[in-house]
Amino acid sequence: MASNYTENFTVEKCKTSKINDVDFDDLKFGSVFSDHMLVCDYKNGTWEAPKITPYQAITLEPSSKIFHYGQSIFEGMKAYKDENGSVFLFRPTDNCKRLNISAKRLAMPELPEAYFIDGLKALLELEKDWIPTAEGSALYIRPFMFATGQGFHASPADSYKFIIACAPSGAYFSGQVKVLIEEQYSRSANGGVGFAKAGGNYAGQFYPTQLAKDKGYQQVIWTDDNTHDYIEEAGAMNIFVRINDTLLTVPTNDRILDGITRKSILSIAEAEGIKTEVRKIKVSELIEASENGSLKELFGAGTAAVVSPISGFGFKGQDYELPKLENTYGALLKKRITDIQTNKVDDPYGWRVKVC
């Protein structure tokens, strides 16, 4: 049965698809873009009806406030196909809610949920052939919003643009990563915007991360801005620590993103009978656990990679290696999540949403 997602949307299809020019066996993450995108403008105090258009460049005035005051937020999602070709999303309303939490913090207008959800479904119906089916691949979805209103005065813009663009992508990470515990720089601070998916949060990470790469590490474990005594996130992901048979992660706050994968892992771990604790984790506790052999696993959790195992970490000039385990919590939890996402198993949580 045909959907009514596009009932109130304008849809302009591209004249010629690029899909035949894409090597789906060699997809680098976020570097190839599908034929269409959704665009919605906020003007005169209201959101206009969304439009689906061919993927194309956008034009902005040099005075657009995005260039000067950084009002920019985004989300990260994926669409999946099962073996029958049906298309699914994973917890999309959580992404919509988090987008609006970010918007509110940056003094941007909140987007109607129907525009986000129905617009995304309409876009995916059009782009379903772009969803790869190889193991570990998916159609990565990037909803984002930025200020288009003009002016050099330091104040919120009066107009904004919301876009959803898609990129067929292979696995985000291959293999395990080695990380450096950050002792000087901070990802975010108390009272700041660390909990929001604001573009500036990620721009501020690039320099310290590059310093870590120069030392032979792939990523940074961020620590608290006050004392640097407590671990907080792993690169752009939430962090999980397994000490003996207990899985730990830190509580969310105004410095730490409320990750959707993080929440899913906690729910699945509980269902699997894995003991979990959500509490502060000291760097010294991590070091001690590594030295006495009770530290079994470290991994990051996020939409792009789902679970990214950490093979070792550095701190104060010393490296600490994680044990090589045959069966890990990280691998188990990743499989449980991806099986739900790709419709290989029942979804007792109601997270999987069928599109078409």
Side-chain angles (χ1 to χ4, degrees):
M1 186 170 71
S3 77
N4 61 356
Y5 299 143
T6 60
E7 194 173 80
N8 298 312
F9 299 172
T10 301
V11 179
E12 178 191 351
K13 293 184 179 180
C14 65
K15 294 180 180 179
T16 305
S17 174
K18 309 184 295 284
I19 197 166
N20 291 329
D21 298 327
V22 176
D23 182 359
F24 278 80
D25 293 324
D26 184 25
L27 290 171
K28 295 180 181 178
F29 182 83
S31 60
V32 175
F33 306 99
S34 67
D35 288 327
H36 299 90
M37 63 184 189
L38 181 138
V39 182
C40 188
D41 288 302
Y42 180 88
K43 296 178 180 177
N44 301 316
T46 189
W47 284 103
E48 298 178 349
K51 298 176 289 186
I52 293 176
T53 71
Y55 181 89
Q56 60 192 281
I58 55 178
T59 301
L60 294 172
E61 294 285 345
S63 55
S64 296
K65 289 197 172 185
I66 177 57
F67 301 129
H68 307 281
Y69 303 111
Q71 282 182 293
S72 172
I73 59 175
F74 69 95
E75 278 295 315
M77 312 171 63
K78 287 180 179 178
Y80 310 85
K81 269 184 181 174
D82 67 8
E83 59 184 10
N84 298 315
S86 297
V87 177
F88 297 91
L89 290 165
F90 184 72
R91 305 187 71 166
T93 55
D94 289 281
N95 289 100
C96 182
K97 290 174 183 176
R98 192 171 63 184
L99 181 90
N100 282 331
I101 289 171
S102 298
K104 184 176 181 179
R105 180 61 181 85
L106 270 72
M108 303 168 74
E110 296 181 36
L111 184 79
E113 184 176 296
Y115 283 12
F116 185 102
I117 300 295
D118 291 349
L120 176 56
K121 289 179 176 179
L123 180 63
L124 290 177
E125 282 201 346
L126 201 58
E127 304 293 77
K128 59 187 176 184
D129 290 342
W130 284 88
I131 303 174
T133 55
E135 190 73 25
S137 65
L139 183 67
Y140 186 79
I141 302 165
R142 175 53 60 88
F144 60 104
M145 186 197 305
F146 57 93
T148 55
Q150 300 172 43
F152 292 151
H153 48 289
S155 61
D158 59 4
S159 59
Y160 298 84
K161 188 178 290 288
F162 173 72
I163 295 176
I164 303 178
C166 303
S169 298
Y172 188 63
F173 289 118
S174 57
Q176 298 189 338
V177 297
K178 188 178 176 183
V179 299
L180 179 67
I181 296 179
E182 182 56 54
E183 301 175 59
Q184 178 182 356
Y185 295 99
S186 299
R187 176 188 172 273
S188 59
N190 289 327
V193 297
F195 67 91
K197 284 191 74 72
N201 287 346
Y202 297 81
Q205 294 185 36
F206 295 155
Y207 177 65
T209 302
Q210 185 57 54
L211 294 179
K213 288 180 178 179
D214 292 343
K215 296 177 181 178
Y217 302 90
Q218 286 78 50
Q219 265 297 349
V220 166
I221 289 184
W222 300 104
T223 51
D224 70 286
D225 65 301
N226 186 27
T227 65
H228 295 287
D229 286 339
Y230 296 89
I231 65 171
E232 296 205 326
E233 291 196 349
M237 298 178 288
N238 295 117
I239 191 165
F240 280 86
V241 179
R242 176 184 172 186
I243 295 179
N244 290 319
D245 292 331
T246 300
L247 190 64
L248 297 86
T249 193
V250 300
T252 56
N253 53 39
D254 56 9
R255 299 187 308 277
I256 297 174
L257 185 72
D258 186 14
I260 294 167
T261 305
R262 172 189 176 276
K263 292 189 288 190
S264 303
I265 284 175
L266 288 172
S267 295
I268 293 173
E270 181 180 357
E272 292 288 331
I274 296 172
K275 182 182 178 182
T276 61
E277 292 182 11
V278 178
R279 62 170 175 82
K280 290 183 176 182
I281 305 170
K282 271 197 161 188
V283 175
S284 58
E285 181 182 3
L286 204 64
I287 302 297
E288 182 182 352
S290 179
E291 291 177 340
N292 66 27
S294 61
L295 179 62
K296 305 300 183 184
E297 292 180 64
L298 275 176
F299 58 86
T303 297
V306 185
V307 167
S308 179
I310 295 170
S311 61
F313 64 92
F315 182 66
K316 291 189 180 299
Q318 184 171 343
D319 284 340
Y320 301 83
E321 297 298 320
L322 273 293
K324 293 178 172 60
L325 304 180
E326 186 172 339
N327 299 304
T328 65
Y329 285 175
L332 170 68
L333 295 165
K334 180 175 182 177
K335 182 175 180 358
R336 294 289 186 266
I337 289 177
T338 55
D339 282 353
I340 290 173
Q341 291 169 334
T342 54
N343 197 32
K344 292 178 180 176
V345 297
D346 291 337
D347 173 18
Y349 309 98
W351 293 337
R352 188 174 58 228
V353 175
K354 187 173 182 179
V355 176
C356 58

